[in-house]
Amino acid sequence: MIYQSDALTVTRLDGDIAELHFDLKGESVNKFDQTTVNSLTEALDALEAQSGLRGLLVTSGKPVFIVGADITEFTGIFGAGSEEIKGFTAANNANLNRLQNLPFPSCVAINGFALGGGFEICLACDFRVMSTAAKVGLPETKLGILPGWGGTVRLPRIIGVDEAATWIAGATEQRADKALKAGAVDAVAAPEELRAVALSTLNHAIAGKLDYAGRRQAKSSPLPLNDTEAMMAFFTMKSLVQQQAGKNYPAPVKAVDVIEKARGMGLEDALKVEAEGFAELAVTPVAAALVGVFLSDQLLGKKARDWEKQADRKVQRAAVLGAGIMGGGIAYQSAYRGVPILMKDINQAGLDLGLSEANKLLSKRVERGQMTPAQMGDVLNSIDPTLTYTGFDAVDIVVEAVVENAKVKHAVLAETEKQIGEDTILASNTSTISITHLAEALQRPENFCGMHFFNPVHAMPLVEVIRGEKTSDRAVARTVAYANKMGKKAVVVKDCPGFLVNRVLFPYFDGFSKLVRDGADFQAVDKVMERWGWPMGPAYLMDVVGIDTGVHAAAVMAEGFPDRMQLDFKTATEVMFENERFGQKNGKGFYDYVPDKRGKPKKTASEEVYRLIAPVEGERTEFSREDIVARMMLPMATEMARCLEEGIVGTPAEADLALLYGLGFPPFRGGIFRWMDTVGLAFIAEASKQFAHLGKSYELTDGMQAMLADGKTYY
């Protein structure tokens, strides 16, 4: 044994080859935390002190190679300032430079995910052999930063500027075949042959059959581009990246800038340029938000797994009641993720619609090469359409997805309970109706909870699991386990009108209604909110949700929270409903919709809408961008604060991710609580005073007032 620590070992193999073996104790994956960085420094000291070594094999003892840096360490380091950040990158850069310059060749066996710093250590090695089951990549721009351990320097010098910039700016993971074709790895091997192929490659280098010195020289030299070639390559690349990333995500463009600035430099100077770019991005609110989203997602996943561990049994067969677009989407998602499902409706037309929805989604996967026709057939065969309750006694969970009407749901749920086992979980996909109220129709309310999917089911990650007053932990645990199995992000919330997402969405819509009442152009409001980062503005979103659905839900919310959600004027949305402009579903709402060449509804402005809403619209007024944002976002922010204070949602992290995954809240802002922390509660309080005349939904909660007084933040 040459060296040993809790993070890695170095041993001497036959043939005077050393093996650097990463195996972080107490962790399921290897990562570049501070312990690993320090251990690597000491391991390199030990390697350099050895005599007679002829080569180095780099391996991993985990199912994956190295997943990258320990993101949990980022927040403290990033908050410490630019110089501290540069120190963070410098320590491991020194290690990777030493690894690259060892007096003998090196080869890495990439046996699983090698991402971020995990891939950067691979790039520092002379040769790379990759398992057919592995993936490599530099995903840092997803976190609002760029590779900080030589990724922007070595990768372009290995695979070329265009390919490297595409990989880095896109933050994409690459399969073995793509990595081999690009030249990022030298060989690909089956998992069981990986070690042997890596050792063979290393021995060829030791024998002089492979030129490792030339490779090192290329990685340490300026890029082989003249000024004309560089100008054309970088101009084109930056334009493309800017277009794809958008103005709210600076990291992809900055990464290309860094590659360009360092193109004529050697390794050491190029690494300094990279460090400057890394530090510049790391202190931005965007990086803080995106790193926060990543960490919150880890928390959400852990909570979901903890619930799943409490489940009394696995969900092996499910059922859905109601086979429309939503029921068909649920059936598709369940079957596609390996849980066979009964799909019941009261008429054949409903079943045909549900099967058509599933068939359409599966056909798209076949067209894109994501599955074979045979696999599509297997998934469709695991959806069992039925007009009866036959087989319901053998399912583990039933999801009710019938019309959003309490009386209808009461009847269906009560009828279904008689057809299922005594320990079967019954869940409702209601979007607004109280779970406690729906449970009144049941003999076993402890087996009942909400399981609220978002439309379209296959595309929206979030599932709200709603606990009613009598819902048991067992019901929650099995429902979360089913959501996990379906590949969804489950957030467990307490029962109240609208639950979490819709409860905070409708005050946002109310803010929109008040703006239009006061003379704002609804198209102008849409544009401002889209520029702020929302995927669509409030009028467009209402069209997508369905104006009939929105009006019904608004009435439920107004009844539940009359002090702040009961409006004393007719809204433009109600005018749309009265004139049967229901949105995309019938081709006309706030906008008109005509299918484009690909059959997708394309929105266009409608003069008729302005004529219809004229009686409820105030004299046309130009509002500033800042006022529109404040009037839209304050009601959502204060309502979410109430949800947290009332215990409807457990943590700010879960609340923020619910909005990201359920509504498309701008990820670069990190969520509603992260946004409030960024702008400051003092700013929120000042805006609250400015718009106090608009009603209670613009008032700070008691909890917000206390936090402001104590100088506290949500994170």
Side-chain angles (χ1 to χ4, degrees):
M1 183 71 65
I2 296 174
Y3 174 80
Q4 184 173 13
S5 76
D6 287 344
L8 55 89
T9 58
V10 182
T11 53
R12 196 164 188 137
L13 309 178
D14 292 341
D16 292 325
I17 291 172
E19 180 176 2
L20 174 59
H21 187 67
F22 288 88
D23 197 355
L24 187 58
K25 287 184 180 179
E27 298 284 351
S28 59
V29 296
N30 287 320
K31 55 189 175 183
F32 265 120
D33 58 5
Q34 199 57 52
T35 298
T36 303
V37 172
N38 294 339
S39 293
L40 182 56
T41 303
E42 294 169 359
L44 289 163
D45 291 341
L47 277 167
E48 290 169 348
Q50 287 285 308
S51 59
L53 286 179
R54 302 169 65 228
L56 177 69
L57 177 69
V58 182
T59 61
S60 165
K62 305 291 187 188
V64 298
F65 184 70
I66 300 174
V67 295
D70 184 353
I71 310 300
T72 61
E73 296 179 350
F74 277 21
T75 51
I77 294 168
F78 287 7
S82 182
E83 291 308 310
E84 185 80 14
I85 293 166
K86 290 177 188 176
F88 168 74
T89 59
N92 218 35
N93 266 325
N95 282 338
L96 300 193
N97 288 351
R98 291 171 70 191
L99 175 62
Q100 179 172 308
N101 293 321
L102 287 170
F104 40 78
S106 59
C107 181
V108 58
I110 307 170
N111 66 313
F113 285 100
L115 303 176
F119 187 38
E120 285 170 304
I121 194 173
C122 298
L123 297 175
C125 293
D126 298 316
F127 301 97
R128 290 161 292 282
V129 179
M130 185 175 175
S131 163
T132 52
K135 287 186 177 180
V136 298
L138 297 171
E140 286 86 352
T141 57
K142 285 183 180 177
L143 298 176
I145 52 177
L146 52 75
W149 288 331
T152 67
V153 180
R154 292 187 177 91
L155 190 61
R157 287 156 176 79
I158 292 172
I159 67 174
V161 167
D162 289 352
E163 193 79 25
T166 300
W167 283 28
I168 294 169
T172 47
E173 296 172 2
Q174 309 294 340
R175 299 192 312 264
D177 55 347
K178 178 76 181 290
L180 181 65
K181 183 178 180 181
V185 299
D186 302 290
V188 169
E192 65 273 13
E193 298 173 355
L194 178 65
R195 183 181 179 86
V197 174
L199 276 170
S200 176
T201 302
L202 183 58
N203 279 314
H204 276 79
I206 292 169
K209 296 177 182 178
L210 296 173
D211 179 17
Y212 70 90
R215 285 175 168 241
R216 293 182 180 184
Q217 182 63 34
K219 285 191 289 188
S220 300
S221 301
L223 283 163
L225 293 173
N226 62 39
D227 290 345
T228 302
E229 291 170 331
M231 182 184 70
M232 293 178 63
F234 286 107
F235 177 79
T236 303
M237 182 57 63
K238 280 194 283 190
S239 298
L240 180 63
V241 169
Q242 180 69 68
Q243 183 179 359
Q244 292 176 339
K247 64 183 178 63
N248 296 315
Y249 296 90
V253 174
K254 186 66 178 178
V256 180
D257 281 339
V258 164
I259 296 171
E260 180 181 26
K261 189 174 180 180
R263 72 177 181 86
M265 300 176 181
L267 179 63
E268 293 291 344
D269 288 337
L271 288 173
K272 290 176 184 176
V273 172
E274 181 185 81
E276 289 284 348
F278 184 94
E280 183 180 322
L281 289 171
V283 296
T284 62
V286 174
L290 294 176
V291 169
V293 167
F294 177 88
L295 295 175
S296 295
D297 187 72
Q298 299 290 299
L299 171 69
L300 190 64
K302 182 182 183 304
K303 286 200 167 195
R305 290 190 297 274
D306 288 345
W307 273 113
E308 184 170 358
K309 289 174 185 175
Q310 298 178 48
D312 56 344
R313 68 170 185 247
K314 293 183 178 179
V315 176
Q316 297 179 315
R317 189 164 179 80
V320 62
L321 300 167
I325 298 296
M326 181 63 78
I330 293 170
Y332 157 82
Q333 191 68 24
S334 183
Y336 174 66
R337 298 288 298 199
V339 180
I341 188 166
L342 291 164
M343 183 173 65
K344 183 186 181 304
D345 206 280
I346 57 174
N347 58 60
Q348 187 61 45
L351 294 178
D352 292 342
L353 180 60
L355 285 172
S356 174
E357 178 70 8
N359 187 73
K360 179 181 70 176
L361 295 170
L362 289 165
S363 296
K364 286 182 180 178
R365 299 195 72 86
V366 173
E367 289 170 11
R368 294 170 185 156
Q370 296 170 329
M371 69 188 323
T372 66
Q375 289 170 327
M376 172 180 168
D378 290 341
V379 174
L380 277 177
N381 287 335
S382 63
I383 301 174
D384 187 1
T386 179
L387 296 171
T388 72
Y389 285 103
T390 301
F392 269 64
D393 58 346
V395 302
D396 301 304
I397 189 168
V398 179
V399 181
E400 168 272 306
V402 302
V403 64
E404 187 76 352
N405 178 288
K407 289 183 179 179
V408 174
K409 286 184 183 290
H410 267 150
V412 170
L413 290 167
E415 181 181 66
T416 303
E417 188 182 40
K418 297 173 184 175
Q419 308 294 328
I420 60 179
E422 288 194 1
D423 66 344
T424 299
I425 303 305
L426 190 53
S428 176
N429 179 50
T430 177
S431 56
T432 56
I433 304 171
S434 165
I435 295 302
T436 300
H437 175 59
L438 291 178
E440 292 171 1
L442 299 174
Q443 297 297 311
R444 299 185 293 274
E446 68 276 8
N447 289 353
F448 178 65
C449 66
M451 190 179 192
H452 178 211
F453 292 86
F454 290 76
N455 198 24
V457 175
H458 70 281
M460 300 301 286
L462 182 68
V463 168
E464 286 179 309
V465 176
I466 306 107
R467 180 197 287 276
E469 285 182 8
K470 297 183 179 179
T471 302
S472 66
D473 283 353
R474 189 175 69 86
V476 172
R478 197 186 300 178
T479 305
V480 172
Y482 184 40
N484 292 348
K485 185 73 174 177
M486 294 175 82
K488 296 300 180 184
K489 307 281 189 179
V491 175
V492 178
V493 300
K494 288 184 181 178
D495 187 27
C496 67
F499 318 128
L500 181 66
V501 172
N502 280 334
R503 176 170 164 180
V504 301
L505 174 61
F506 278 86
Y508 172 85
F509 280 142
D510 289 349
F512 166 69
S513 294
K514 289 174 181 176
L515 274 165
V516 175
R517 177 201 63 185
D518 294 344
D521 181 345
F522 72 86
Q523 288 194 77
V525 176
D526 270 5
K527 287 175 183 175
V528 166
M529 298 315 295
E530 285 163 9
R531 289 189 188 118
W532 195 75
W534 284 98
M536 56 189 75
Y540 187 17
L541 177 59
M542 185 59 82
D543 279 358
V544 172
V545 168
I547 285 173
D548 52 342
T549 301
V551 169
H552 167 77
V556 173
M557 303 307 297
E559 183 180 354
F561 307 104
D563 63 328
R564 54 191 185 277
M565 297 192 205
Q566 181 69 61
L567 302 181
D568 58 0
F569 61 93
K570 178 178 279 191
T571 68
T573 305
E574 289 170 322
V575 172
M576 295 298 99
F577 176 72
E578 290 171 357
N579 287 274
E580 297 186 353
R581 297 185 68 93
F582 299 148
Q584 282 189 355
K585 63 177 63 178
N586 72 339
K588 52 184 182 178
F590 280 98
Y591 300 91
D592 288 337
Y593 296 89
V594 179
D596 62 15
K597 293 178 181 178
R598 288 183 276 180
K600 292 187 177 182
K602 181 180 179 182
K603 74 179 174 79
T604 57
S606 170
E607 287 301 320
E608 182 186 0
V609 170
Y610 285 102
R611 179 178 60 78
L612 289 172
I613 67 175
V616 300
E617 185 181 28
E619 183 180 347
R620 183 58 51 82
T621 304
E622 292 288 333
F623 289 90
S624 70
R625 174 187 177 278
E626 292 75 17
D627 283 359
I628 289 174
V629 169
R631 289 182 59 155
M632 290 295 303
M633 294 308 303
L634 273 174
M636 178 178 274
T638 59
E639 197 62 37
M640 187 60 95
R642 287 187 183 91
C643 288
L644 184 65
E645 291 163 30
E646 293 170 14
I648 301 300
V649 65
T651 63
E654 291 167 275
D656 280 350
L657 286 193
L659 294 193
L660 261 72
Y661 293 143
L663 293 181
F665 192 97
F668 69 92
R669 297 193 185 277
I672 195 83
F673 286 123
R674 182 77 62 180
W675 170 67
M676 285 197 279
D677 277 358
T678 300
V679 299
L681 272 180
F683 173 87
I684 299 292
E686 188 58 38
S688 174
K689 291 177 186 175
Q690 182 182 350
F691 299 111
H693 63 282
L694 294 172
K696 190 174 177 62
S697 60
Y698 288 82
E699 292 179 11
L700 297 193
T701 66
D702 291 343
M704 295 171 83
Q705 294 278 17
M707 288 180 65
L708 178 63
D710 294 341
K712 293 182 177 179
T713 56
Y714 285 104
Y715 285 94

